[in-house]
Amino acid sequence: MDVHPELLLWNSSVVSLQMGNTSESTHFASKIRKEYDVFMGSLYTTFCILSLLGNSILLLVAYRKRSSLKPAELFIINLSFSDLGMTVTLFPLAIPSAFAHRWLFGELTCLCYAVCGVLFGLASLTNLTALSSVCCLKVCFPNYGNKFSYSHACLMIMGVWCYATVFAVGPLVNWGQYAPEPYGTACCIDWYAPSQDALSMSYIICLFLLCYALPLGIILLSYILILITVRGSQQAVQQHVSPQTKTTNAHILIVKLSVAVCIGFLTAWSPYAVVAMWAAFVEPVKVPPFAFALAAIFAKSSTIYNPVVYLIFKPNFRKSLSRDTAQIRRRIYSSPCKGSPLPGEKDLQQASLRCNKDPSHSTRLSNGLADSHGGCPHCSEAEHQCQQTPALRTACVLIGSSCSEMTLSQLPEKVHADLL
């Protein structure tokens, strides 16, 4: 019977990783062309730099606005931690190995690399799922979403890490297996093991269903419900405002964020899921090693995609970053005329003065929002309209504010700033 030589080499790699019986020069050699490895090493270097910058900036912004963070935003911080964990544990090993055209760090490090890759990768994936479900709860079911607190967020974050840990530790206790990647310069789950072991097959099936198909379904369903709810509320708001304010379209911003998150999830994890299922259940010997290498590139790109999405599409994060950047510029380029504000700073100062002149704006409600009791001359009109129009009441709940805090013409701007 003819046996494919790549399958023989792979089997020897698995045995070597678990038993240490063959030489490292054989099973840790690259299975793809040298120029492909150089290409991967160059991409990984770029990913590493951008991930460190993007996630560090996101965490810095979150730290600077820590007193005003919402419970749902804790998931964005946790996402940055998991992406940074993947960055600092995988890229420093994968980059030199790719340029060297072979794995450089031995069997034990290969095992640790595989565990960290699964742990941080699944933590990021599960965290995106939890974030989308919380956003859906707050927007579509505000009676329950308004009760979501920091303690609830912390419990869910702990659940995210426990969920990822189960699948990361599974192969260490013989539920599944770790092995060198088919392309040779990294390590991950043994995708060929299901053809030889029933436990490994059950692990791969659970991994696909519970860590890809189920999260994908939750994310898509959550953002579809969010878009439907916000669209209805936006239409209700625009029926009661002047034509000039209709140009402020929070719905477009929410659509962009929803589409960006869904595309990011599909782009990062779908190639690896398809290739892994192909190798596990179809014909493993016909899966080219470069297919796994390409899928790994897409998966690792998620470390730079996530921070970019939230820094661009979350208005409060973007505004906080702009303020911090303006402060840094002011300190670096301090002019002799110290009383002269930077461009754009004058408006912020005037807004601050207006808030200080109105004592009611300094009072905070239990949910952290400003409470104004009769401070706005137009409140009665806005409150009356909200009480008479159920859809407008929904819009007020969506933005986390009472109708008496603003005029009707301010509703779209408030949604634009605070909903996401």
Side-chain angles (χ1 to χ4, degrees):
M1 180 178 64
D2 294 334
V3 180
H4 198 281
E6 289 186 2
L7 186 58
L8 286 175
L9 183 59
W10 174 259
N11 289 336
S12 65
S13 300
V14 176
V15 172
S16 176
L17 181 61
Q18 296 177 347
M19 305 297 297
N21 293 329
T22 59
S23 63
E24 292 184 4
S25 60
T26 300
H27 65 271
F28 282 138
S30 177
K31 314 302 186 303
I32 61 177
R33 295 164 57 180
K34 175 69 173 178
E35 51 267 32
Y36 292 163
D37 272 327
V38 173
F39 174 71
M40 286 184 62
S42 302
L43 277 182
Y44 284 169
T45 302
T46 304
F47 290 171
C48 183
I49 295 172
L50 294 179
S51 176
L52 289 173
L53 288 175
N55 287 290
S56 298
I57 291 174
L58 188 60
L59 289 176
L60 178 61
V61 170
Y63 176 77
R64 294 296 300 271
K65 66 186 296 291
R66 60 191 181 278
S67 60
S68 59
L69 283 176
K70 303 172 185 176
E73 291 173 339
L74 296 181
F75 292 98
I76 300 177
I77 299 173
N78 189 52
L79 184 62
S80 286
F81 275 118
S82 60
D83 286 341
L84 278 177
M86 184 183 295
T87 300
V88 300
T89 57
L90 302 190
F91 286 128
L93 303 177
I95 292 172
S97 296
F99 284 119
H101 199 47
R102 63 181 299 274
W103 177 257
L104 297 174
F105 301 98
E107 297 176 0
L108 180 60
T109 307
C110 180
L111 184 62
C112 294
Y113 180 101
V115 172
C116 291
V118 174
L119 174 64
F120 291 116
L122 293 184
S124 296
L125 187 152
T126 310
N127 196 84
L128 282 173
T129 308
L131 176 61
S132 66
S133 62
V134 169
C135 290
C136 180
L137 181 68
K138 293 179 70 65
V139 172
C140 304
F141 309 98
N143 290 335
Y144 299 98
N146 290 337
K147 299 176 183 179
F148 189 80
S149 64
Y150 289 97
S151 59
H152 296 143
C154 291
L155 286 174
M156 289 189 68
I157 289 173
M158 290 177 59
V160 165
W161 285 102
C162 291
Y163 192 84
T165 301
V166 168
F167 289 94
V169 174
L172 299 179
V173 294
N174 296 323
W175 186 41
Q177 297 178 22
Y178 287 126
E181 287 269 24
Y183 55 89
T185 57
C187 304
C188 195
I189 297 166
D190 181 3
W191 303 111
Y192 294 159
S195 62
Q196 309 164 10
D197 181 19
L199 277 177
S200 296
M201 180 176 290
S202 69
Y203 176 79
I204 298 298
I205 292 175
C206 290
L207 192 68
F208 177 78
L209 293 178
L210 301 179
C211 297
Y212 176 75
L214 180 62
L216 177 61
I218 293 175
I219 289 174
L220 291 176
L221 179 62
S222 297
Y223 283 112
I224 288 173
L225 291 176
I226 288 173
L227 293 180
I228 292 174
T229 303
V230 172
R231 183 177 179 83
S233 299
Q234 182 74 4
Q235 290 175 345
V237 169
Q238 290 183 348
Q239 291 176 0
H240 296 81
V241 297
S242 62
Q244 289 79 8
T245 58
K246 292 183 181 181
T247 59
T248 304
N249 197 340
H251 179 252
I252 294 178
L253 181 66
I254 299 167
V255 169
K256 289 180 179 179
L257 177 62
S258 304
V259 171
V261 171
C262 294
I263 289 178
F265 183 94
L266 290 170
T267 302
W269 300 108
S270 293
Y272 213 111
V274 171
V275 174
M277 293 304 101
W278 182 14
F281 299 110
V282 186
E283 295 181 85
V285 296
K286 292 187 178 180
V287 182
F290 184 69
F292 278 98
L294 195 60
I297 290 174
F298 280 104
K300 290 181 174 63
S301 70
S302 64
T303 59
I304 63 174
Y305 191 84
N306 293 326
V308 170
V309 167
Y310 289 103
L311 283 174
I312 290 178
F313 292 109
K314 275 195 68 66
N316 54 351
F317 274 59
R318 190 173 62 249
K319 290 178 181 179
S320 180
L321 179 60
S322 299
R323 287 195 299 268
D324 293 342
T325 304
Q327 291 178 1
I328 294 174
R329 282 177 21 222
R330 183 172 63 248
R331 292 173 182 175
I332 295 177
Y333 303 105
S334 57
S335 62
C337 184
K338 296 183 179 180
S340 176
L342 289 173
E345 188 178 3
K346 185 176 180 180
D347 295 336
L348 293 175
Q349 293 175 350
Q350 291 176 351
S352 178
L353 287 175
R354 286 196 298 270
C355 289
N356 291 334
K357 288 180 180 179
D358 189 352
S360 62
H361 289 166
S362 62
T363 306
R364 311 297 292 181
L365 294 173
S366 60
N367 60 359
L369 297 168
D371 180 18
S372 58
H373 302 283
C376 172
H378 305 286
C379 290
S380 58
E381 176 194 358
E383 188 170 9
H384 175 73
Q385 292 284 5
C386 283
Q387 295 299 327
Q388 296 299 319
T389 310
L392 281 179
R393 288 201 301 272
T394 302
C396 293
V397 174
L398 289 180
I399 61 179
S401 181
S402 63
C403 296
S404 61
E405 293 182 275
M406 66 197 76
T407 66
L408 286 175
S409 62
Q410 292 173 318
L411 276 172
E413 287 82 356
K414 187 70 175 174
V415 172
H416 181 95
D418 293 344
L419 178 59
L420 300 178

